[in-house]
Amino acid sequence: MLSICDLRKAYGSRQALTGFSLDVEQGETVAIMGPSGCGKSTALKSVIRLVQPDSGSVEWRGRSVLRMCSDDLRAFRRRTGFVFQQSNLIQRLTVLHNVMLPGVMAGEPMERAQREAYEALESVGMAESAGAYVKGLSGGEMQRVAIARAIVNRPDLVLWDEPTSALDPILVVDILTLIESLSRSLGATMLVVTHEAGFAMRAADRVVLVDHGKVVEEGPPAHVLSCPTSILGRRYAACVAYSVEAQKEKACGL
């Protein structure tokens, strides 16, 4: 389905990707985890050429994304949802018009684009705010609208670039629960860059750990986060174990 092989990318003297490789099956939800600055976001953006890698390959359903002409790349991007760290909504437009944009840009009739936008807003619990202007929304509401915009065309592939990083802890749980629900209902292939180990354990089919620009470990969440083989994996496992132990102690009144 999606095959990423030996991606390399440098920003000046800094090596962001140093041989990033990953294969993802159709309908699989993959959580990509690693320390800040390890190349996770660069890898994700390379998939749809928001970042142009220096070398390597990205193939979607057997076709090279990096060699696509402009028309084919636009068509591929229309079938791919991308949710950024920030919502990146157009402040002067209403919620509905923001979500309609992908359909309108693809040349859909306005009536159809509006109907699909309402359906997407309903799926994220924002249909009642369709007529509101974005500038009056909370951070969590903005991210819900951004998610609706990303899934309005029912994409085959959805890329999530730390979608909760700008939210407070209460909203983080809210958005992660929504992502988990969508991962089941959409049936799309999903790559989720996240720092949330709990979400990875619950929602991901596979966890991929990235360090210094490449994958250092991958596997089922329960295995990677409890019986890791890499140094980074052991650090994550220690964090998970600490959290579990703290909850037990609190429950016992220690």
Side-chain angles (χ1 to χ4, degrees), residues 8 53 65 123 135 238:
R8 297 175 185 272
V65 175
S123 71
K135 60 184 178 182

Side-chain angles (χ1 to χ4, degrees), residues 163-239:
T164 61
S165 64
L167 303 177
D168 66 52
I170 294 176
L171 293 177
V172 166
V173 174
D174 189 34
I175 295 300
L176 290 178
T177 301
L178 174 59
I179 296 172
E180 183 180 352
S181 173
L182 291 172
S183 72
R184 294 191 296 265
S185 63
L186 283 177
T189 303
M190 292 191 176
L191 273 65
V192 187
V193 171
T194 181
H195 289 293
E196 304 293 336
F199 165 79
M201 291 286 285
R202 285 174 55 89
D205 299 305
R206 182 160 42 118
V207 168
V208 172
L209 301 184
V210 180
D211 201 12
H212 296 100
K214 61 184 179 181
V215 175
V216 296
E217 186 171 0
E218 61 179 293
H223 182 77
V224 171
L225 297 175
S226 62
C227 303
T229 59
S230 65
I231 294 174
L232 180 61
R234 287 193 286 272
R235 289 175 178 171
Y236 271 110
C239 291

Side-chain angles (χ1 to χ4, degrees), residues 113-179:
Q114 183 172 337
R115 182 179 68 253
E116 291 175 344
Y118 268 117
E119 291 174 355
L121 287 169
E122 285 178 349
S123 71
V124 300
M126 288 295 293
E128 292 184 0
S129 299
Y133 282 91
V134 169
K135 60 184 178 182
L137 301 181
S138 68
E141 288 172 333
M142 286 186 183
Q143 199 64 312
R144 281 179 173 269
V145 175
I147 292 170
R149 183 181 59 187
I151 66 171
V152 66
N153 289 338
R154 298 198 65 83
D156 304 308
L157 174 65
V158 185
L159 308 175
W160 309 77
D161 187 13
E162 297 190 54
T164 61
S165 64
L167 303 177
D168 66 52
I170 294 176
L171 293 177
V172 166
V173 174
D174 189 34
I175 295 300
L176 290 178
T177 301
L178 174 59
I179 296 172

Side-chain angles (χ1 to χ4, degrees), residues 46-64:
S46 295
V47 171
I48 54 173
R49 283 169 56 182
L50 291 179
V51 167
Q52 185 69 34
D54 298 327
S55 62
S57 65
V58 177
E59 291 188 356
W60 172 250
R61 294 177 172 171
R63 296 190 60 199
S64 172

Side-chain angles (χ1 to χ4, degrees), residues 25-96:
E25 297 299 323
Q26 180 172 353
E28 189 177 16
T29 297
V30 175
I32 302 176
M33 304 177 68
S36 297
C38 72
K40 306 183 301 296
S41 293
T42 296
L44 210 65
K45 291 175 181 176
S46 295
V47 171
I48 54 173
R49 283 169 56 182
L50 291 179
V51 167
Q52 185 69 34
D54 298 327
S55 62
S57 65
V58 177
E59 291 188 356
W60 172 250
R61 294 177 172 171
R63 296 190 60 199
S64 172
V65 175
L66 302 184
R67 295 179 182 175
M68 284 180 178
C69 66
S70 57
D71 287 344
D72 288 344
L73 181 60
R74 279 194 293 271
F76 170 59
R77 286 175 172 172
R78 281 198 294 270
R79 300 301 306 157
T80 302
F82 200 109
V83 182
F84 297 86
Q85 295 180 23
Q86 304 291 336
S87 59
N88 290 336
L89 301 174
I90 299 176
Q91 299 290 308
R92 60 183 175 81
L93 296 182
T94 65
V95 166
L96 179 64

